[in-house]
Amino acid sequence: MSDTLLLVLDLAGIAVFASTGALVGVRKELDVFGVTVLALITGLGGGVLRDVLIGSVPPAALEDWRYLVVPAATALAVFVFHPAFGRMERQIMVLDAVGLALFCVTGAVKADEAGLNVLAASVLGTLSGIGGGMLRDVVAGRVPVIFRGELYATPAFAGAFVATVVHHEGYSEWWYALAFAVC
Amino acid sequence: MSDTLLLVLDLAGIAVFASTGALVGVRKELDVFGVTVLALITGLGGGVLRDVLIGSVPPAALEDWRYLVVPAATALAVFVFHPAFGRMERQIMVLDAVGLALFCVTGAVKADEAGLNVLAASVLGTLSGIGGGMLRDVVAGRVPVIFRGELYATPAFAGAFVATVVHHEGYSEWWYALAFAVC
Amino acid sequence: MSDTLLLVLDLAGIAVFASTGALVGVRKELDVFGVTVLALITGLGGGVLRDVLIGSVPPAALEDWRYLVVPAATALAVFVFHPAFGRMERQIMVLDAVGLALFCVTGAVKADEAGLNVLAASVLGTLSGIGGGMLRDVVAGRVPVIFRGELYATPAFAGAFVATVVHHEGYSEWWYALAFAVC
């Protein structure tokens, strides 16, 4: 995949994740700064955890200013227009699942490139996808969404595993679509 | 100590820690994936925190697939046979204390080898031992067990301290038994 | 600024942060070890997070034994004399704000020296200042203080931003006073 397309997809996923964090913050009646902090944690948390664990520091989120501006701008938009965002909750949930799938795949590929074994890369891919939401819920004092019994994380791990194997074995890029679909 | 023996002890400790995490997950009525995530966090959390803090990344838990398979298999076993594991709670608590002692000693030795001062190595050894349970409780929304006033962490720190001094000064391996006993 | 002055200020800030953590621990009726753990997390957490994220490991807090002795001694003092510390709560809050300002500035400078962009350095400076209190509240099961709507974190970020720009552009040291005042 071209680097530009990957960057755009990555930033889009971060924006969606950040909007879920900002919505939680608005519902907890946080001020604008609290909403922004929660949006940054949700949007960037998974990727930062992955980068710290593979020793790729400073994490990508701190190397490129766009990774900070996008979730911060999303937080401000949600803070100002939250009734509109609140009504779009179903659409955001769908986008959230798409973002999760995307992050699982890209996270697993990045971990595989760092030389981890297939199982570890799949775990790190899953962590890239679910880490931000988990941190959001822990910091906001909620039970993490992945623990609420909905089918959410199992396909994430399955997709990350497929992506790792695909990347590791050097199969065609089209297989990523399968990993993505599994997610 | 031989490396093989250390690895077996390490994996045994991780399995015990993971089983306490899985039991908490089962009691919170998590699905099988949630139980596995909680078991992984509990079994591997302390060692991963230590490795990240001494800059040994990727952490050992991600370098060797056995470190992932053992807690995951433990989680599945607890999920399927949890009434049996529930009845063994007292035995698990004893094993948990043994695992804590073991991790404090091995964690302190690893931190000392990374060149930290004696005090810092003792703190990191203690973190290796108590970190997984602390993360388990924070993620599961419980008051961390080390904060519940039972005599749990003080001997852990004492043992880690003894182990560090023993290792640092190059004393005979038999002294580790003392550190372990103190824990 | 001279290194010695910076070290003294840094340790003073850590002592103040640690005392807020120890007070929370005493109010939760933790034993002496729990109080010490909470004080260490509060005093050192922000700086450790920053150091891990810029890849400066082992973190400063583990390289120099004074960074461990100061918060531990503070915790013991609070544990023994907590009625006196409890009466000084207002003074501690003022000192806490001063410590926050200090950590935002020094954290932002350290992140800028690590080669981060201005925005990322400001975010990391803010994290250095608010990270310890955030970890304290998450571990102790409270809503993080930065989410409680008081004007606390916005000036922290503003100050960190000013400090980064000042340092990045090589302006006179006197400008740090401005960054500090903004905090």
Side-chain angles (χ1 to χ4, degrees):
Chain A
M1 249 182 287
S2 84
D3 281 358
T4 313
L5 178 60
L6 255 184
L7 178 69
V8 170
L9 285 174
D10 215 19
L11 291 175
I14 288 171
V16 172
F17 282 2
S19 73
T20 70
L23 272 177
V24 169
V26 167
R27 279 191 192 136
K28 293 229 156 201
E29 305 191 344
L30 304 186
D31 64 1
V32 64
F33 190 88
V35 168
T36 307
V37 168
L38 212 47
L40 285 171
I41 289 174
T42 314
L44 305 175
V48 167
L49 282 177
R50 177 204 59 214
D51 286 348
V52 166
L53 289 174
I54 61 175
S56 165
V57 285
L62 293 174
E63 289 281 26
D64 183 337
W65 58 271
R66 287 170 291 196
Y67 281 96
L68 290 167
V69 167
V70 165
T74 306
L76 292 178
V78 171
F79 189 77
V80 175
F81 304 111
H82 62 85
F85 278 92
R87 276 193 301 274
M88 295 195 304
E89 184 132 46
R90 272 207 54 209
Q91 290 90 318
I92 289 178
M93 274 182 63
V94 172
L95 288 174
D96 194 40
V98 175
L100 177 69
L102 177 72
F103 277 41
C104 287
V105 171
T106 56
V109 167
K110 192 164 179 186
D112 186 53
E113 275 169 2
L116 293 186
N117 62 63
V118 169
L119 189 57
S122 308
V123 168
L124 271 194
T126 309
L127 183 67
S128 309
I130 69 177
M134 213 158 147
L135 287 176
R136 172 197 65 208
D137 292 338
V138 167
V139 168
R142 312 196 312 168
V143 179
V145 74
I146 60 148
F147 289 162
R148 281 185 225 135
E150 292 146 49
L151 215 68
Y152 184 84
T154 313
F157 177 75
F161 183 72
V162 171
T164 310
V165 172
V166 166
H167 184 263
H168 198 72
E169 304 294 333
Y171 291 143
S172 143
E173 291 186 350
W174 290 102
W175 285 94
Y176 289 114
L178 171 64
F180 189 78
V182 171
C183 284
Chain B
M1 253 182 284
S2 85
D3 280 358
T4 313
L5 179 61
L6 255 184
L7 178 69
V8 170
L9 285 174
D10 215 19
L11 290 175
I14 288 172
V16 173
F17 281 2
S19 73
T20 70
L23 272 178
V24 169
V26 167
R27 283 199 186 129
K28 293 228 156 204
E29 306 192 344
L30 304 186
D31 64 1
V32 65
F33 191 88
V35 169
T36 308
V37 168
L38 212 47
L40 285 171
I41 289 173
T42 315
L44 306 174
V48 167
L49 282 177
R50 177 204 59 214
D51 286 349
V52 166
L53 289 174
I54 61 176
S56 165
V57 285
L62 292 174
E63 289 281 26
D64 183 337
W65 58 270
R66 288 170 291 196
Y67 281 95
L68 290 168
V69 167
V70 165
T74 306
L76 292 177
V78 170
F79 189 77
V80 175
F81 304 112
H82 61 86
F85 278 92
R87 277 193 299 275
M88 296 195 304
E89 185 133 45
R90 271 208 54 211
Q91 290 90 318
I92 289 179
M93 274 183 62
V94 172
L95 288 174
D96 194 40
V98 175
L100 176 70
L102 177 71
F103 277 42
C104 286
V105 170
T106 56
V109 167
K110 192 163 178 186
D112 186 53
E113 275 169 4
L116 293 186
N117 62 64
V118 169
L119 189 57
S122 308
V123 168
L124 271 194
T126 310
L127 183 66
S128 309
I130 69 177
M134 212 158 148
L135 287 176
R136 173 197 64 208
D137 292 338
V138 166
V139 168
R142 312 195 313 167
V143 180
V145 73
I146 59 147
F147 289 161
R148 282 185 223 134
E150 292 146 50
L151 216 68
Y152 183 83
T154 313
F157 178 75
F161 183 73
V162 171
T164 310
V165 172
V166 166
H167 184 263
H168 198 72
E169 303 294 334
Y171 290 143
S172 143
E173 293 186 349
W174 291 103
W175 285 93
Y176 288 113
L178 171 64
F180 189 79
V182 169
C183 284
Chain C
M1 251 181 285
S2 86
D3 280 358
T4 314
L5 179 60
L6 255 183
L7 178 69
V8 170
L9 285 174
D10 215 19
L11 291 175
I14 288 171
V16 172
F17 281 1
S19 73
T20 71
L23 272 178
V24 169
V26 167
R27 283 200 186 128
K28 293 228 157 203
E29 304 189 346
L30 305 185
D31 64 0
V32 64
F33 190 87
V35 168
T36 307
V37 169
L38 212 47
L40 284 172
I41 289 174
T42 314
L44 305 175
V48 167
L49 282 177
R50 177 204 59 214
D51 286 349
V52 166
L53 288 175
I54 61 175
S56 166
V57 286
L62 293 174
E63 290 281 26
D64 183 337
W65 59 269
R66 287 169 291 196
Y67 280 96
L68 290 168
V69 167
V70 165
T74 306
L76 292 178
V78 170
F79 189 77
V80 176
F81 305 112
H82 61 86
F85 278 92
R87 276 193 300 276
M88 296 194 303
E89 184 131 45
R90 270 207 56 209
Q91 290 91 318
I92 289 178
M93 273 183 62
V94 172
L95 288 174
D96 194 40
V98 175
L100 176 69
L102 177 72
F103 277 40
C104 287
V105 171
T106 56
V109 167
K110 193 164 178 186
D112 186 53
E113 275 170 3
L116 293 185
N117 61 64
V118 168
L119 189 57
S122 308
V123 168
L124 272 193
T126 310
L127 183 67
S128 309
I130 70 177
M134 213 158 148
L135 287 176
R136 173 197 65 208
D137 292 338
V138 166
V139 169
R142 312 196 311 167
V143 179
V145 73
I146 59 146
F147 289 160
R148 280 187 225 133
E150 291 146 48
L151 215 68
Y152 183 84
T154 312
F157 178 75
F161 184 72
V162 171
T164 310
V165 172
V166 166
H167 184 262
H168 198 72
E169 303 294 333
Y171 291 142
S172 143
E173 291 186 349
W174 291 101
W175 284 93
Y176 288 113
L178 171 64
F180 189 79
V182 170
C183 284

